[in-house]
Amino acid sequence: MLVFVHSRKEAARTAAALRDMAVEEGVIDRFVADGGRSQLILQEQAGSAQDEALRDLLPYGFAFHHAGLQRGDRTLVEDLTEAGHVQVLCSTATLAWGVNLPAHTVIIKGTDVYSPERGDWVELSHLDVQQMLGRAGRPQFDTFGEGVIITTQ
């Protein structure tokens, strides 16, 4: 699952909230099988992450991605997601353009983004929404995909 959010802080916050909900509801094993190969890889690789919040999330199969992460952390997240170890990735639009990662489901969390040029919130463009939703069900990874848009309207 790929969840698009609209700020760096929100990427980390959303990933942690989703992980915490899975733990509270007792379904965390749906994201990383206990004792499985992915769990071992994620635990091992988490130690190499420079970002503390990312180190905390990775062993559970959750991660986040944004332009403010160190290049090594971004590459680590991309590699673990492409290999199928990270099951839930929360990201800013950095992954909407040009990065081809497996995602059966794409969620766009909000359609308003802050525009520094305007000093106000503006709607995502149709092209941006299409690019984000187009990450779901990529032919080389899946047979179909699902897209969800969460908005205040």
Side-chain angles (χ1 to χ4, degrees):
M1 179 185 332
L2 180 55
V3 181
F4 284 106
V5 298
H6 304 297
S7 75
R8 294 173 181 183
K9 284 183 181 179
E10 191 63 23
R13 190 177 9 229
T14 300
L18 291 171
R19 186 262 331 256
D20 292 347
M21 286 188 330
V23 169
E24 288 172 18
E25 294 180 18
V27 295
I28 195 68
D29 60 334
R30 292 183 185 172
F31 300 96
V32 177
D34 210 19
R37 181 175 166 264
S38 282
Q39 186 177 37
L40 295 173
I41 289 170
L42 288 167
Q43 285 175 345
E44 178 183 291
Q45 294 299 312
S48 66
Q50 294 180 24
D51 187 279
E52 184 179 340
L54 187 58
R55 269 195 313 269
D56 182 51
L57 287 167
L58 281 174
Y60 297 93
F62 290 74
F64 59 90
H65 188 285
H66 57 70
L69 280 176
Q70 295 288 326
R71 180 73 208 140
D73 282 355
R74 287 195 312 264
T75 300
L76 176 65
V77 168
E78 291 167 13
D79 291 348
L80 289 171
T81 302
E82 187 172 2
H85 302 302
V86 169
Q87 296 295 306
V88 178
L89 177 58
C90 298
S91 176
T92 58
T94 57
L95 289 181
W97 296 87
V99 179
N100 201 16
L101 295 175
H104 179 76
T105 303
V106 169
I107 298 173
I108 301 175
K109 185 181 176 191
T111 56
D112 292 333
V113 293
Y114 186 75
S115 169
E117 297 85 27
R118 290 191 180 177
D120 199 8
W121 292 87
V122 297
E123 284 284 320
L124 281 173
S125 73
H126 290 88
L127 186 56
D128 285 330
V129 171
Q130 272 188 309
Q131 277 297 121
M132 290 175 185
L133 292 175
R135 305 294 98 199
R138 305 297 287 179
Q140 62 271 45
F141 300 119
D142 213 336
T143 56
F144 74 99
E146 299 176 295
V148 177
I149 301 174
I150 301 172
T151 181
T152 56
Q153 300 298 317

